[in-house]
Amino acid sequence: MTNYLDFEKPLAEIEGKAEELRAMARGNEEMDVTEEAAALDKKAATLLRDLYKNLTPWRKCQVARHPERPHCKDYIEALFTEYTPLAGDRNFADDHAVMGGLARFNDQPVIVIGHEKGNDTKSRIERNFGMARPEGYRKAIRLMEMADKFGLPVITLVDTPGAYPGKGAEERGQSEAIARSTEKLLQIKVPVMSVIIGEGGSGGAVAFATADKLAMLEHSVYSVISPEGCASILWKDSEKMREAAEALRLTAQDLQKLEVCDRVIPEPLGGAHRDRAATIKSVGAAVSQMMKEVANQKGDALLQSRRKKFLEMGSKGLAA
Amino acid sequence: MNWITNYVRPTINSIFSRREVPDNLWSKCDECGTMLFHRELKDNLNVCTHCGHHMHITPRDRFKALFDGGVFTEVAVPDPVADPLQFRDQKKYPERMKAAQKSTGEKEAMLVVEGEIGRTPIVAAAQDFSFMGGSMGMYVGNAIIAAAERAIKLKRPLVLFSAAGGARMQEGILSLMQMPRTTVAVQMLKEAGLPYIVVLTHPTTGGVTASYAMLGDVHIAEPNALICFAGPRVIEQTIREKLPEGFQRAEYLLDHGMLDRVTPRTEMRDELVTIIRMLLGLTPAVQGDLPAPVAEEADDTDAKAVEKT
C-alpha cells in the first residue's frame, strides 16, 4: 500500500483502479484485464513522469518527508557491515534520534552518524521523529573525537526536521551542543562526508552536515527554517508555505548552484520511496565517490581546506 | 545679511520651531513604566534607573560608553553579494534592507571596531537588534571573520556583543552557513591564543546562540536577557504546557551552567577590563573612566600588550 502525497492524488486513483482490476481478475478466471490494466499502468507512468518532471520546492519538501522514504537505519543496514552502535553522551542520556557507531564501509572502518526518524508510530516516538536533543549532538561529538583519534573517516546521514524544541533540551544547552558539534567537525583531521537523505532542518542539520563533501538526494531539502515556519514569520500566514519554499531556495538543485551542496544524487522516478533499494545503492556509490575525492588530502591540509570551503561559501550568490 | 535676518528671524523662528522640540525627551521604561529623562537614561546606558531593566542600546552608543574617552575606529567589513537568493516575501529583501538602513542609520546588523578599554587594546563587535532583528546573514558572518582577523593581526582579544533573533531568512541557506563560517573565525582566534569573550544581550536566539555566541572563552550575559535556541513560544506550542517563570533568561542559564556570569551593563566595562587584563597577564587596570590615550601612548600600550601575549 503506497502512501500518496496530496499532489499525487490523480496518480493514486489510476494506480488504485489498475490494482482493483487485477484483484477482480484474480477472483474471476474468465476475466481478462491484462490489456486494460496495462493501459492504466501506462497512463500512471506518464502521469508520474509529468508530476516529477518539475517538482515545485514545496512538493520536494513533501517528498523529502515521505514516511516511506528510506531512513538512516535502512542505509546503515544496507551499505555498512559490522555496524556496532555506540551509545550515550557520557553525561546525561542516550538520544535515540541519533544513530551512530563504528562500521565498515566497503570494508574500511568508519564512524557513521545520522538522524533516524522511525517508520511506525512506536519507533517514531522512540526516535522523537528524528529531532535530536543535546545528548544526540554530544554523542555525535564523542564519536567524532573517536574518529579523529583513530583516523577513521566520518560519514553522516542527515534527516531531521530540526533540533527538538523542548524544555529539557533548552535547559541542557541545545545551542551549545549544536555549536560544539559544528565546531568539532571543523576541528577533526579525518575526512567528513555527508549526505542529506531527506530533510536538512536548520541548526540540527548543520551540526552534522559541516563536511568536506556534501551530497543531497535529488528531492531532499536543506534549509535555515521550515517553509511553514518561514511563512508564519514573513507572511504572517503558515499556509503560505509554497511561496516560502520557493523563496528559500532549499532544493538540492538550488543549493548546488549556491555551492553549498557538492553533488546531487538522482532518485528513482517518483521519489526515493518508490525504489528504496535503488536509492540506497546510489547513495552508497556517491559516498564511495566522495571518499575517493578527499583521499588525496590528509590531516591538517584536509582540515584547512574544509575550513576554507566554509569561509568562501556564499561569496557568489545565486546569480553566478 | 541684515539685522532682520540676524536678529529678528531667529527669534521668530525660535517661536515656531518650539514645536520641533523632540517629543522623546522622556522615555518610558518597558518594564516598570517609569518615565525617564532621556539624558539620565543615556548616562545610565539605557538601563532603567528605577528598576534596573536593560533596554535596547545601539552598538554605536554602547561603544561610545565602552571605549576610553568614547574613541574607537571602525574596522572595515567586506561587502557580501547583495540579495544572493533574490528573495521576496511580501516585500523584496532589498526593500527591507533599505528600510532598516534608513531607520537605523547603519549599513548592516553588526559593527566592528577597535580601540582601548581601560587602556587595554581590544577589537569589539556588536550586533544591532534594531537592524532586522540583528539577524545573521552573510554580512554578519563577514563582520565576525573581519573582527577575528583584525584581532589576530593586532594580537588583541575580541569582545563580541550578541543580539539577534537568529539567522536572516532572506538569505536562506547562506544565513545557515554562517554557523560554520563564524565557527571557523572563532577557531582561528582560539588557535592564535587570544581571548574571545561573548557578552550575550537581549535577545540572543536561534542560529546565533548555536554558533559563535556559545563558543566563547567567557560567557557574560546582561540581566534578564533572553538566550535560547528555540524561543519560548515555539516550545510552548510543542510541549503544550506553560514554561516556568524566567525560563531561558540569563539568570536561568547561569543556574543551568551555560554562562559564567550575569553582569549589569553599567558594570560591564570594568568587568571586561579586569578579565581581559588577567587573561593577557597584564597588570591590574586603573579603575574609572580613563581619557582617550594620545597617539604615541596608544602605540606604546599596544606594543606592551603584544609583548605579553
Side-chain angles (χ1 to χ4, degrees):
Chain A
M1 196 28 213
T2 320
N3 219 320
Y4 290 96
L5 297 166
D6 62 7
F7 69 89
E8 292 176 327
K9 260 203 193 116
L11 184 69
E13 273 170 31
I14 299 172
E15 286 188 345
K17 260 187 210 151
E19 189 50 44
E20 245 172 64
L21 266 179
R22 289 205 174 92
M24 260 160 59
R26 274 196 291 276
N28 186 347
E29 300 224 335
E30 281 153 42
M31 228 167 111
D32 184 17
V33 293
T34 338
E35 228 169 84
E36 283 164 68
L40 282 173
D41 281 349
K42 206 178 154 205
K43 206 171 155 197
T46 319
L47 187 60
L48 185 67
R49 207 171 41 241
D50 288 348
L51 276 177
Y52 275 80
K53 200 158 50 188
N54 268 316
L55 276 190
T56 61
W58 170 244
R59 286 181 175 179
K60 275 183 187 277
C61 291
Q62 291 175 286
V63 178
R65 295 171 184 171
H66 197 288
E68 282 152 27
R69 204 175 166 80
H71 289 161
C72 181
K73 193 163 170 274
D74 306 312
Y75 289 98
I76 292 180
E77 277 168 10
L79 296 174
F80 296 80
T81 49
E82 293 182 23
Y83 172 57
T84 312
L86 299 173
D89 68 346
R90 299 296 183 271
N91 189 24
F92 181 78
D94 181 43
D95 189 336
H96 299 296
V98 174
M99 293 181 76
L102 282 161
R104 286 182 186 272
F105 181 77
N106 298 339
D107 291 335
Q108 145 108 59
V110 298
I111 287 283
V112 58
I113 303 168
H115 304 95
E116 172 55 46
K117 286 181 166 178
N119 52 15
D120 53 27
T121 310
K122 191 171 165 258
S123 62
R124 279 184 198 123
I125 291 170
E126 189 198 329
R127 302 289 187 179
N128 201 28
F129 303 87
M131 291 182 284
R133 295 182 169 91
E135 300 76 70
Y137 303 107
R138 293 191 176 123
K139 170 164 78 178
I141 293 170
R142 201 169 67 76
L143 296 179
M144 292 167 194
E145 278 168 355
M146 185 183 290
D148 197 29
K149 185 172 174 189
F150 297 102
L152 309 176
V154 176
I155 297 168
T156 68
L157 300 167
V158 178
D159 191 12
T160 180
Y164 182 64
K167 181 169 167 276
E170 288 285 322
E171 282 173 343
R172 296 192 297 277
Q174 183 86 283
S175 326
E176 196 260 1
I178 293 173
R180 293 281 172 207
S181 182
T182 315
E183 188 190 36
K184 188 52 72 187
L185 285 176
L186 291 162
Q187 265 170 355
I188 57 177
K189 295 180 179 176
V190 290
V192 183
M193 276 77 49
S194 186
V195 185
I196 298 185
I197 54 175
E199 274 184 286
S202 185
V206 172
F208 289 0
T210 303
D212 293 305
K213 295 283 172 195
L214 176 71
M216 288 179 73
L217 272 173
E218 188 183 344
H219 304 310
S220 67
V221 295
Y222 188 15
S223 178
V224 63
I225 186 167
S226 72
E228 294 93 327
C230 179
S232 76
I233 299 171
L234 290 182
W235 277 265
K236 316 258 180 270
D237 177 3
S238 62
E239 291 298 307
K240 296 276 189 217
M241 64 266 186
R242 286 171 192 81
E243 288 86 341
E246 197 90 36
L248 282 167
R249 311 271 181 187
L250 41 66
T251 66
Q253 293 70 25
D254 275 342
L255 296 182
Q256 195 175 29
K257 282 184 210 149
L258 286 164
E259 297 178 346
V260 171
C261 160
D262 300 300
R263 147 194 313 266
V264 179
I265 307 169
E267 288 186 29
L269 183 62
H273 56 281
R274 282 192 171 246
D275 192 345
R276 295 158 56 99
T279 309
I280 292 172
K281 209 174 145 208
S282 331
V283 167
V287 174
S288 303
Q289 200 56 43
M290 292 195 289
M291 276 181 107
K292 276 192 206 119
E293 284 167 14
V294 293
N296 55 356
Q297 275 183 313
K298 290 214 161 50
D300 203 47
L302 178 67
L303 173 61
Q304 293 313 327
S305 82
R306 187 182 316 142
R307 288 182 177 180
K308 194 161 161 258
K309 170 187 168 180
F310 284 95
L311 282 180
E312 287 171 359
M313 197 171 274
S315 51
K316 289 189 201 128
L318 203 59
Chain B
M1 211 55 82
N2 60 37
W3 67 274
I4 294 182
T5 47
N6 271 346
Y7 296 101
V8 178
R9 288 275 296 278
T11 323
I12 294 171
N13 277 346
S14 73
I15 294 166
F16 287 106
S17 65
R18 210 170 278 169
R19 281 180 308 179
E20 287 163 25
V21 166
D23 55 3
N24 54 359
L25 275 178
W26 293 86
S27 316
K28 198 171 166 184
C29 170
D30 308 333
E31 190 68 27
C32 69
T34 308
M35 295 304 282
L36 301 155
F37 190 56
H38 78 107
R39 198 167 298 150
E40 192 187 14
L41 187 62
K42 203 177 164 206
D43 287 346
N44 207 38
L45 306 174
N46 288 6
V47 177
C48 174
T49 47
H50 183 70
C51 71
H53 176 63
H54 285 56
M55 280 172 270
H56 173 70
I57 184 168
T58 65
R60 225 167 265 281
D61 284 346
R62 186 187 286 279
F63 288 153
K64 271 182 206 150
L66 183 72
F67 286 98
D68 297 346
V71 178
F72 55 86
T73 335
E74 275 186 50
V75 173
V77 174
D79 280 324
V81 179
D83 192 15
L85 306 186
Q86 287 129 43
F87 191 98
R88 122 165 253 169
D89 48 88
Q90 287 165 315
K91 272 191 208 157
K92 282 184 184 162
Y93 177 35
E95 283 168 25
R96 285 190 191 263
M97 277 291 280
K98 262 185 217 133
Q101 284 168 340
K102 205 173 158 205
S103 73
T104 58
E106 295 290 346
K107 190 173 155 194
E108 250 280 6
M110 188 169 259
L111 185 64
V112 183
V113 301
E114 58 187 80
E116 296 191 3
I117 57 170
R119 295 278 165 89
T120 318
I122 65 161
V123 173
Q127 221 158 349
D128 191 348
F129 188 70
S130 54
F131 194 107
M132 294 184 80
S135 54
M136 165 178 72
M138 284 291 290
Y139 186 91
V140 169
N142 283 359
I144 293 171
I145 294 168
E149 282 173 347
R150 189 69 187 155
I152 292 165
K153 186 163 183 245
L154 300 174
K155 296 197 170 67
R156 293 184 184 192
L158 174 63
V159 180
L160 188 141
F161 298 85
S162 68
R168 186 168 295 170
M169 280 173 287
Q170 291 87 347
E171 294 185 19
I173 193 75
L174 295 182
S175 66
L176 194 66
M177 289 303 112
Q178 303 317 304
M179 291 171 63
R181 273 187 101 216
T182 55
T183 302
V184 174
V186 172
Q187 285 174 329
M188 297 190 307
L189 204 60
K190 288 189 177 172
E191 279 160 20
L194 295 164
Y196 170 51
I197 296 171
V198 186
V199 179
L200 298 105
T201 75
H202 179 76
T204 298
T205 69
V208 170
T209 325
S211 56
Y212 57 85
M214 272 290 149
L215 295 172
D217 294 309
V218 181
H219 293 165
I220 310 173
E222 287 188 345
N224 203 37
L226 177 74
I227 302 161
C228 59
F229 182 67
R233 246 187 321 149
V234 178
I235 297 175
E236 277 184 344
Q237 278 165 11
T238 315
I239 62 171
R240 296 179 198 283
E241 63 178 273
K242 204 93 191 104
L243 293 165
E245 174 86 14
F247 183 67
Q248 297 180 321
R249 296 291 169 164
E251 296 74 9
Y252 198 89
L253 266 86
L254 184 70
D255 276 349
H256 285 83
M258 290 298 137
L259 301 173
D260 292 287
R261 302 177 62 79
V262 175
T263 305
R265 193 179 289 159
T266 44
E267 294 163 26
M268 194 65 79
R269 180 178 178 275
D270 287 348
E271 184 158 311
L272 287 171
V273 173
T274 308
I275 292 174
I276 290 170
R277 293 191 71 91
M278 282 196 272
L279 290 176
L280 292 178
L282 300 171
T283 54
V286 182
Q287 295 295 327
D289 188 21
L290 294 170
V294 292
E296 309 89 56
E297 232 180 331
D299 287 345
D300 195 36
T301 34
D302 222 7
K304 260 184 223 153
V306 169
E307 272 167 32
K308 290 276 187 183
T309 48

